[in-house]
Amino acid sequence: MIDRSATSPLLRVLSGQCQSIPPIWLMRQAGRYLPEYRALRAQANGFLDLCFDPKRAAEITLQPIRRFGFDAAILFSDILVVPHALGQRVTFVEGEGPRLDALGDPQSLQRLKQEIDHALLAPVYEAIVRVKQDLPAEVALLGFCGAPWTLATYMIAGCGTPDQAPARLFAYRYSEAFAQLIDVLTTASISYLVRQFAAGVDAVQIFDTWAGVLPADEFDRWCIEPLARMVAGVRRQVPAAKIIGFPRGAGTKLTQYLDRVAVDAVGLDWMIAPEFVRDEVQPHRPVQGNLDPLALLAGGAALDRAIDGILEAFSLGPFIFNLGHGVLPDTPIAHVDQLVARVRGRSASP
Ligand code: CP3
């Protein structure tokens, strides 16, 4: 197998090196804004079927690499395959997002398996092997999982909610049962990430999309503490594991997060103050981010200005260009071309 640590600009940044042209990839780079994705999606029975079809999942993972030449491919899958592999029913309703059998009270947690079913996840590991065979040597393959807190928010509510009130209430009312759920998810996620590394990913990202809704002490307990255990647990089995954390909405709590969670780099959302990042974050860890997905959707001069501001703020230190959250489905392809060209110092039009 190719060792990409020398050839991949993204892996060099994760080792703390600066690159004169920052590597670039985008969260949700494989998805509905791409016509070639929509074509494959239309043939599939449902979104999860697509995630568990190794050939198609590998193909979708490679689509944005072929089109835009990004510096990293992110495995096409979803964070909710982990609750699925713990025995919770997960479906995706077209245009509405995920639906799970909600875990409404402590008793319902007994419906979950204590250990993740790797047999159900075998197609994910096979997709990794397939992508690896076709990926250029300078492109890194990223695996991923959801952080325990973010997974728990979907598992308890049974769907997406604006402020994750169901999980927050559950954690206040039944903190012991909630702690047990977080433990099961932490252990399951460690073994899931270890298997992804064994199958061939070069690095992983841990998505904590809902980190920003918690008060400080709850953030410590449900985000920082399990993440610290997860990163240590993965490294016990894969000592060289490269890990990116993405605690969306953490704000100034990023300082505590980075003090205690030994991630190699941290993903920034688009709301964080650049001065804070330059003074308090980037001196300690490489950063990744943080273009507003709406600026990418808008395009034009506003997009150019937003890109230049980010390059000016972060590109003197170790930096990976990305969005502050995922690509929105209505994003025009031409705007992504404009972004990649500008970050790499070329004009978008030939
Ligand atoms: O980034 C990538 O291109 C890799 C694939 C990926 C998907 N989801 C594909 C997807 C990744 C890394 C995720 C992560 C994910 N999934 C998160 C964390 C990051 C984030 O976006 O906040 C979360 C919270 C989920 C759960 C999830 N999956 C939701 C809430 C939804 C519905 C919202 C939506 O955009 O439709 C999904 C569906 C989903 N995951 C789609 C894709 C391409 C769209 C499904 C479709 O084609 O119908």
Side-chain angles (χ1 to χ4, degrees), residues 28-30 32 37 41 47 74 77-78 154 207 209 325:
R28 289 282 174 96
Q29 65 190 19
R32 283 164 296 182
Y37 170 75
R41 175 78 168 85
F47 174 69
I74 181 157
S77 184
D78 198 85
Y154 289 98
F207 287 88
T209 303
H325 199 192

Side-chain angles (χ1 to χ4, degrees), residues 162-244:
D163 55 2
Q164 306 310 331
R168 286 159 59 199
L169 260 180
F170 192 112
Y172 286 126
R173 283 183 175 145
Y174 317 114
S175 68
E176 257 175 52
F178 193 72
Q180 278 168 19
L181 174 61
I182 292 288
D183 280 352
V184 168
L185 292 171
T186 303
T187 306
S189 303
I190 291 170
S191 90
Y192 184 45
L193 291 183
V194 166
R195 292 287 183 113
Q196 292 185 39
F197 276 110
V201 301
D202 300 299
V204 295
Q205 175 155 315
I206 302 174
F207 287 88
D208 212 348
T209 303
W210 293 104
V213 299
L214 290 173
D217 50 352
E218 299 283 296
F219 177 79
D220 269 12
R221 185 164 182 198
W222 307 127
C223 293
I224 292 186
E225 202 274 327
L227 250 281
R229 278 194 285 141
M230 247 176 92
V231 170
V234 171
R235 294 246 173 77
R236 256 194 297 280
Q237 298 179 66
V238 187
K242 291 284 177 215
I243 304 175
I244 305 169

Side-chain angles (χ1 to χ4, degrees), residues 67-68 296 332-342 346-348:
R67 197 185 260 274
F68 302 111
L296 185 60
I333 303 265
H335 297 181
V336 181
D337 285 326
Q338 179 184 339
L339 165 65
V340 174
R342 198 162 183 97
R346 301 188 312 263
S347 155

Side-chain angles (χ1 to χ4, degrees), residues 48 52 80-90 113 120-121:
L48 267 192
F52 289 129
L80 298 178
V81 300
V82 167
H84 172 78
L86 286 169
Q88 192 173 16
R89 224 169 64 89
V90 180
K113 298 176 193 156
L120 274 174
L121 298 169

